[in-house]
Amino acid sequence: MKLSSIIAALEELAPPSFQENYDNSGLITGDPSLEIRAAVVSLDCTEAVVDEAIAHGADLIVAHHPIIFSGLKKITGKNYVERVIIKAIRNNIAIYAIHTNLDNVANGVNKKICEKLRLENLKILSPKKDLLKKLTTFCPSAVAEKVRIALWSAGGGVIGNYDSTSFSVEGVGTFRGNEESNPVIGEKGKLEREPEERIEMIFPSHLEKKILAALRLSHPYEEIAFDLVPLANRWNLVGSGMIGELKNEIALEKFLSEMKIKLKADVIRYTKIENKKVKKIAVCGGSGSFLIASAIAAGADVFVTADLKYHQFFDGEGKIVLADPGHFETEQYTIDHLTDFLKQKFPTFAVRQTGINTNPITYLT
């Protein structure tokens, strides 16, 4: 299996353009042309995980957290990051990280948490904007449907729970080719008038090359007229956190007790609200304090996230329960998600979950 094929699949699941600007998702070590025999999936890439990959003959580690967040000026082995990189390169092991881009997709880290908590009616808590574009093009009316279908097949026209969306209006296009032209319709040097359709369609920005390729293949004209316009619209399929509902309203203490079991948490830190009944639950795997205001605005009864500081617990303002079961605890099922995805995508490829608990925190209970 070529590493490039595995990367292409992972980036289809979570496009790199969806990652936060501080992040370092993507290929950390390795050559995309490498032949990969087996992969290990882990939350973190530690020295122990690299040793595990070596022991099992794996040439790839797929980790949620990037081992390198900022630039390395020297690689001398003085800390665990440098030692991991040295050992991986020495043993020809590729490392691929799929971090905040997987956090930000609808079928990602937060959906897995919601599934574990058995939440329904799931939505992105804080959708992102500036990730969409609109294509406007003009084509002969006779081939308009062919062009629409080609653009839909390339990923255009998806809005929320609807696909194959577009807008069209009929009109008359005019054109005159010079002596170097080779017009499909009419004659060079002669002004032509052709019944045309103006087609408008929204698409994710990261699919621009694919959309334009589909347009060129399906459109008959030698020169294609089109506009690309960036949109400030929020995209409800991409963003931070997720919110959903329990099937039935339950007491806060019961919810927390069940969550403690489902997330295998030794400790849950939370803000207590007396006699609180809960139904609407917001979640954000890992460090999600930046979403407290969004969870309150969305009407959540509880916001489940990690790495909350002492003073941030006051930000609930008595309006919402803030519950922190731990960073590793909220993200651990990402390993299951990635393993299942790779096995489904590549049924004959050897994928194994790490047998190492990479949680650096131990609780005395």
Side-chain angles (χ1 to χ4, degrees):
M1 177 69 63
K2 288 279 189 184
L3 176 57
S4 57
S5 298
I6 300 171
I7 291 174
L10 291 169
E11 294 185 352
E12 182 181 342
L13 171 66
S17 60
F18 293 173
Q19 69 179 302
E20 302 297 333
N21 56 16
Y22 63 82
D23 199 10
N24 190 36
S25 293
L27 188 61
I28 306 293
T29 67
D31 181 342
S33 65
L34 281 173
E35 287 287 344
I36 303 297
R37 296 167 296 174
V40 171
V41 180
S42 180
L43 195 66
D44 307 281
C45 185
T46 64
E47 289 181 79
V49 173
V50 177
D51 288 334
E52 180 184 32
I54 295 169
H56 291 285
D59 340 77
L60 171 64
I61 296 170
V62 178
H64 182 47
H65 297 134
I67 183 63
I68 300 175
F69 265 104
S70 56
L72 295 176
K73 293 186 177 181
K74 298 179 181 179
I75 305 178
T76 61
K78 70 177 183 295
N79 58 45
Y80 81 96
V81 174
E82 295 179 8
R83 289 192 295 272
V84 165
I85 297 302
I86 290 171
K87 186 172 286 189
I89 293 174
R90 181 177 290 157
N91 289 277
N92 209 28
I93 293 175
I95 300 173
Y96 187 90
I98 182 167
H99 189 213
T100 54
N101 48 330
L102 189 61
D103 290 332
N104 285 332
V105 294
N107 184 26
V109 175
N110 294 308
K111 184 179 180 183
K112 199 67 183 177
I113 300 170
C114 290
E115 288 175 353
K116 289 296 176 181
L117 298 180
R118 297 180 184 174
L119 303 183
E120 304 173 342
N121 305 319
L122 305 180
K123 294 180 181 178
I124 295 289
L125 178 60
S126 179
K128 289 191 176 296
K129 60 180 183 177
D130 301 320
L131 292 174
L132 296 170
K133 289 186 177 180
K134 183 174 73 172
L135 167 71
T136 301
T137 190
F138 308 84
C139 69
S141 299
V143 297
E145 187 65 6
K146 175 185 176 183
V147 171
R148 272 191 291 270
I149 291 171
L151 294 173
W152 292 334
S153 299
V158 177
I159 301 177
N161 294 322
Y162 296 84
D163 62 18
S164 303
T165 69
S166 67
F167 177 79
S168 299
V169 62
E170 294 182 350
V172 176
T174 63
F175 51 88
R176 179 168 56 204
N178 62 24
E179 289 304 313
E180 302 299 321
S181 67
N182 184 26
V184 175
I185 296 172
E187 302 174 21
K188 63 178 68 176
K190 180 181 177 182
L191 180 65
E192 301 291 344
R193 299 178 183 273
E194 175 68 17
E196 291 184 342
E197 283 193 27
R198 171 188 171 121
I199 300 173
E200 298 184 17
M201 190 176 297
I202 290 175
F203 66 91
S205 299
H206 70 277
L207 294 180
E208 181 176 325
K209 289 183 179 179
K210 193 174 179 182
I211 290 288
L212 292 181
L215 176 63
R216 292 187 182 100
L217 286 172
S218 61
H219 201 295
Y221 284 173
E222 184 179 24
E223 298 290 347
I224 304 171
F226 66 91
D227 301 326
L228 292 176
V229 180
L231 301 179
N233 304 46
R234 292 190 180 275
W235 188 9
N236 61 6
L237 294 179
V238 180
S240 304
M242 191 160 273
I243 189 164
E245 296 178 333
L246 297 167
K247 188 172 184 179
N248 298 301
E249 185 180 69
I250 62 174
L252 170 62
E253 290 74 14
K254 179 176 174 60
F255 170 75
L256 293 174
S257 295
E258 291 178 354
M259 180 175 72
K260 190 170 184 289
I261 295 170
K262 291 169 183 174
L263 298 186
K264 302 176 184 177
D266 291 320
V267 173
I268 295 178
R269 301 186 301 149
Y270 71 100
T271 51
K272 187 174 180 65
I273 299 179
E274 295 294 340
N275 303 315
K276 177 74 171 175
K277 298 286 187 180
V278 303
K279 182 176 176 66
K280 203 168 187 178
I281 312 297
V283 307
C284 179
S287 305
S289 60
F290 67 99
L291 287 173
I292 293 174
S294 298
I296 293 173
D301 299 308
V302 182
F303 179 37
V304 179
T305 190
D307 302 340
L308 294 175
K309 297 179 180 178
Y310 176 84
H311 292 286
Q312 289 170 337
F313 279 101
F314 288 107
D315 293 341
E317 298 278 1
K319 300 174 183 176
I320 191 171
V321 175
L322 302 178
D324 182 346
H327 195 119
F328 179 90
E329 287 75 11
T330 58
E331 293 186 334
Q332 61 186 303
Y333 295 109
T334 303
I335 300 172
D336 294 338
H337 183 41
L338 290 171
T339 302
D340 292 344
F341 173 79
L342 288 172
K343 285 183 175 179
Q344 183 177 16
K345 204 75 177 177
F346 307 105
T348 61
F349 180 62
V351 182
R352 62 178 291 120
Q353 295 186 9
T354 181
I356 296 165
N357 183 340
T358 61
N359 190 355
I361 301 170
T362 301
Y363 298 95
L364 179 63
T365 57

